[in-house]
Amino acid sequence: MEPITKTAAVSIQAAGRRSRFSPADLIIHIVLILLTLMTILPFYNVILMSFSSTVAVSKQLVYLVPTVFDLSAYSYIFHEPRFLKALMVTVFVTGVGTAVNMLVTVTGAYVLSKSGFPGKKIVMGGIIFTMFFNGGLIPFYLTMKNFHLVNNLLVMVLPVAVNTFYMIICIAFFRTLPAGLEESAKIDGANDLQVLYKIVVPISMPMIATITLFYAVDRWNEWWLGVLFMQNVNLLPLQALLRELLTNYQQVLASITTSVRVQDSDLQPEMLKMAVLVVSTLPIACLYPFLQKYFAKGVMIGSIKG
């Protein structure tokens, strides 16, 4: 009778698992699928239009696949020196800026997470004050000018070296780490920097990877500081160039129609705009899968109180 009892128990458990999929779950799945499609389809349509021919785009014949495959927009972008210069500026700002962001944020948050840090409340008060108040645009511009950061790529790195909200998240995470780990490391002879980079950073990778992704997206999408401080058009970031392309449509149209190379390829501004959107979005989107395993854990920080 015992094998029969086990089989019946397994059947009951399987039936229980099947019955867990209630009508409410079905509705939730349908809603999530619709939301996913609403998120993906606009970007997919942009990709299709960037690869479609001028005739198909003008007649609105682009639906699920390109009717006539055309790479003239991408050919124009990657043969245009201004686009490549803007892309290199954005890559520099993203790489150097994210490294500076993480160095300042992690180091500062680790120090401020210590209860024995002298003047901690005053420093934290000053940091939180910047979340709600600032000096205004003109003092900010004059300060950057006095530091000789006009027409300098570092103006898109140094003024935004730390995000107060991300630093507070780091401080909250570091406070949850067991104090015994650091104490045992110091007993073995490690100093504070060794404790930070050999003990604290490795066990904080979910949080650090999540904050790194947030900072990288911020630096990649940086355009306002470029527009404000870059008088040399060759130092504009990619997003500033994209903004110029999308807002000054008539000027771009005139420049395209006077271009010999573009006249030969019959390129339309609409295709060019879609191609620029893909080129400016795809690289940072490719970064997400590499950080996804940390991202799922990192976004839960602070959401569960134990």
Side-chain angles (χ1 to χ4, degrees):
M1 292 299 292
E2 186 177 353
I4 298 175
T5 304
K6 289 183 178 179
T7 304
V10 171
S11 301
I12 292 172
Q13 290 176 357
R17 285 195 295 269
R18 286 195 296 270
S19 63
R20 291 175 185 173
F21 196 82
S22 62
D25 294 329
L26 178 62
I27 295 174
I28 293 173
H29 279 72
I30 293 174
V31 171
L32 291 177
I33 290 173
L34 291 176
L35 290 175
T36 303
L37 291 176
M38 290 171 62
T39 305
I40 294 176
L41 285 179
F43 189 68
Y44 180 65
N45 186 57
V46 168
I47 296 176
L48 284 182
M49 292 181 67
S50 69
F51 283 109
S52 299
S53 70
T54 304
V55 176
V57 172
S58 61
K59 293 184 179 180
Q60 299 182 348
L61 298 177
V62 180
Y63 296 107
L64 295 178
V65 293
T67 51
V68 179
F69 205 71
D70 191 344
L71 291 174
S72 58
Y74 291 95
S75 177
Y76 175 78
I77 290 174
F78 290 110
H79 287 86
E80 173 59 48
R82 196 175 171 195
F83 281 98
L84 294 179
K85 289 178 181 176
L87 179 62
M88 295 306 296
V89 169
T90 297
V91 170
F92 171 83
V93 171
T94 303
V96 177
T98 305
V100 172
N101 287 145
M102 293 309 299
L103 178 65
V104 176
T105 302
V106 172
T107 307
Y110 179 69
V111 172
L112 292 173
S113 66
K114 302 301 173 189
S115 56
F117 178 65
K120 175 184 169 183
K121 291 185 178 179
I122 298 175
V123 175
M124 281 300 300
I127 291 174
I128 294 175
F129 181 82
T130 62
M131 294 180 67
F132 305 101
F133 304 97
N134 60 69
L137 181 59
I138 294 177
F140 177 60
Y141 183 87
L142 294 177
T143 302
M144 294 301 106
K145 184 179 179 182
N146 290 334
F147 278 105
H148 305 287
L149 290 178
V150 176
N151 279 331
N152 189 331
L153 292 181
L154 292 179
V155 78
M156 290 182 278
V157 174
L158 297 181
V160 288
V162 62
N163 183 299
T164 306
F165 180 69
Y166 298 160
M167 174 174 275
I168 291 175
I169 292 176
C170 290
I171 292 173
F173 182 85
F174 288 152
R175 284 175 178 169
T176 63
L177 298 179
L181 285 175
E182 301 180 29
E183 292 173 358
S184 60
K186 288 185 177 180
I187 291 174
D188 292 337
N191 57 35
D192 289 330
L193 283 178
Q194 289 172 328
V195 170
L196 173 60
Y197 291 107
K198 292 185 178 179
I199 304 294
V200 175
V201 170
I203 63 177
S204 307
M205 282 309 295
M207 180 273 296
I208 290 176
T210 305
I211 301 298
T212 301
L213 180 62
F214 290 159
Y215 271 129
V217 173
D218 290 344
R219 298 290 76 75
W220 181 268
N221 291 329
E222 183 61 64
W223 65 272
W224 185 74
L225 293 174
V227 172
L228 188 62
F229 291 104
M230 293 303 171
Q231 298 169 355
N232 184 352
V233 294
N234 293 324
L235 297 179
L236 284 176
L238 185 63
Q239 304 300 336
L241 191 63
L242 172 63
R243 174 182 174 274
E244 180 183 339
L245 183 66
L246 296 178
T247 55
N248 301 330
Y249 182 81
Q250 295 300 328
Q251 182 179 350
V252 174
L253 179 63
S255 65
I256 287 178
T257 53
T258 56
S259 170
V260 176
R261 182 173 64 246
V262 175
Q263 281 179 345
D264 292 340
S265 62
D266 196 25
L267 176 66
Q268 292 296 318
E270 197 65 24
M271 293 174 57
L272 184 59
K273 287 196 295 185
M274 299 301 122
V276 172
L277 283 171
V278 174
V279 171
S280 62
T281 307
L282 198 59
I284 197 66
C286 292
L287 183 64
Y288 179 79
F290 297 100
L291 299 177
Q292 193 273 338
K293 61 180 180 180
Y294 299 112
F295 187 78
K297 298 178 182 177
V299 295
M300 296 294 292
I301 296 172
S303 62
I304 299 176
K305 306 298 181 185

